[in-house]
Amino acid sequence: MKFVSYNIQYGIGQDGRFDPERIARAVEGADVIALQEVTRGFVRNGHADLVEIVTSLFPTYFSSFGAASDVLVDHAMVEGRLCERRFQFGNMVLSRYPLVAARNLLLPRTRTFDKLNLQRGALEAVIDAPDGAVRVYSVHLDHVSPDERMAQIAYLKERANGFVDEGGALTGAIEFAVPDPALPADYLLMGDFNMEPEGPEYLSMVGRDDAFYGRVARADRPIDAAAHLKARTADGYSWISPDGVVRKHLDYCFVSGGLVSRLKAAFVDNETTASDHYPVWVELA
């Protein structure tokens, strides 16, 4: 089963061109797709509705979108009806298999005065996969403050590890004449974490590395798929600056302990230029 995470930068590539079809080609073949920086009503891409565009490019996939930030841009009366244009910024999950439940988790944030700070989110999706239900989170953390990322990681881990006790999106659904969604224990946290390997935020996610045992799969913290498979080189990167000079590894797939034995492959596709980030792929047996 193939998973891919991609920060699509509003559909704009390294050449400055808006090309959603190029984005779709970059993630083609994945069973589950997690996208970040999906927008509606954004001036930088001509106010495109990327949710509608992406779903149309994957017409046989189930999908969910979570707008972490939703702001009124302008409005007008058209033939007696109020028409709004809203700027929406968030995450998306698409799946070849049924997406049976979703929650849009709003991550902790604090107000800034001179730097951009949007409300960030993690879209949680329960996928009815062939080998049993699994959770996938499309995650986008703050890009400016390490302290804010630390708070967001703590909140995210609490939601991911407490999912079964919390009951996910819905329990007792018989009252609404629909079945209760599955409550799978295993999960993948995928997305743009805006942190680098072995930095403070990274350590808060996976814990410190033991000199002898390494990082053992535990119930209270996930495992970095690429690091576990020794698939990330020291000079590996998933983001490139506009001038091509700065390169960082900011995007990850973390898996719960129950999925570690099924990890088969992990890599970053550095060939595509459809965004300033690169797709991060993980395959489970």
Side-chain angles (χ1 to χ4, degrees):
M1 192 171 177
K2 296 180 180 179
F3 300 78
V4 64
S5 175
Y6 199 11
N7 179 325
I8 64 172
Q9 192 185 220
Y10 350 115
I12 298 174
Q14 294 170 29
D15 55 4
R17 186 162 53 90
F18 177 66
D19 189 348
E21 288 80 10
R22 184 168 52 176
I23 295 287
R25 290 193 297 271
V27 296
E28 189 176 16
D31 297 299
V32 178
I33 303 165
L35 303 177
Q36 302 86 46
E37 293 196 12
V38 180
T39 62
R40 283 173 163 151
F42 191 26
V43 66
R44 293 189 186 178
N45 59 15
H47 303 99
D49 185 343
L50 269 175
V51 178
E52 174 59 28
I53 293 172
V54 170
T55 52
S56 70
L57 292 170
F58 292 90
T60 63
Y61 279 58
F62 299 85
S63 67
S64 182
F65 170 67
S69 182
D70 185 340
V71 179
L72 180 66
V73 176
D74 56 34
H75 63 282
M77 294 298 297
V78 180
E79 297 180 352
R81 180 179 178 181
L82 177 65
C83 295
E84 301 176 73
R85 176 181 285 170
R86 307 194 70 85
F87 166 67
Q88 294 184 339
F89 179 95
N91 308 312
M92 198 168 182
V93 173
L94 299 101
S95 172
R96 193 186 306 274
Y97 308 108
L99 195 164
V100 297
R103 286 194 302 177
N104 193 29
L105 306 177
L106 301 182
L107 303 178
R109 67 179 293 269
T110 52
R111 177 185 177 186
T112 55
F113 291 92
D114 61 351
K115 293 291 183 182
L116 177 70
N117 184 7
L118 302 94
Q119 173 66 58
R120 303 301 176 113
L123 180 61
E124 172 192 274
V126 178
I127 307 296
D128 186 15
D131 290 328
V134 66
R135 279 178 283 142
V136 173
Y137 294 79
S138 182
V139 180
H140 192 191
L141 301 190
D142 180 72
H143 69 297
V144 173
S145 169
D147 293 329
E148 187 135 300
R149 289 193 290 273
M150 294 282 273
Q152 291 171 344
I153 287 168
Y155 177 86
L156 186 60
K157 288 173 65 176
E158 186 177 8
R159 299 285 75 71
N161 293 327
F163 170 84
V164 175
D165 289 339
E166 290 181 358
L170 178 68
T171 52
I174 189 65
E175 293 190 25
F176 289 169
V178 296
D180 271 0
L183 296 175
D186 285 318
Y187 60 82
L188 300 91
L189 296 166
M190 308 178 68
D192 176 6
F193 289 80
N194 277 309
M195 63 188 184
E196 295 187 84
E198 303 304 325
E201 307 99 288
Y202 181 90
L203 294 180
S204 73
M205 176 67 80
V206 299
R208 289 181 292 179
D209 191 9
D210 183 81
F212 186 78
Y213 291 103
R215 289 187 173 95
V216 177
R218 307 179 70 91
D220 63 341
R221 64 193 59 171
I223 289 286
D224 179 349
H228 180 79
L229 294 172
K230 296 179 172 56
R232 186 167 57 244
T233 61
D235 58 351
Y237 60 98
S238 69
W239 172 84
I240 189 168
S241 63
D243 59 9
V245 174
V246 181
R247 303 181 180 193
K248 295 182 179 182
H249 191 92
L250 303 177
D251 304 79
Y252 302 82
C253 176
F254 300 99
V255 301
S256 58
L259 294 179
V260 171
S261 64
R262 292 176 56 188
L263 283 172
K264 184 178 179 181
F267 67 95
V268 178
D269 173 14
N270 291 121
E271 298 300 317
T272 181
T273 60
S275 171
D276 60 340
H277 288 252
Y278 296 93
V280 175
W281 290 80
V282 169
E283 186 173 351
L284 297 181

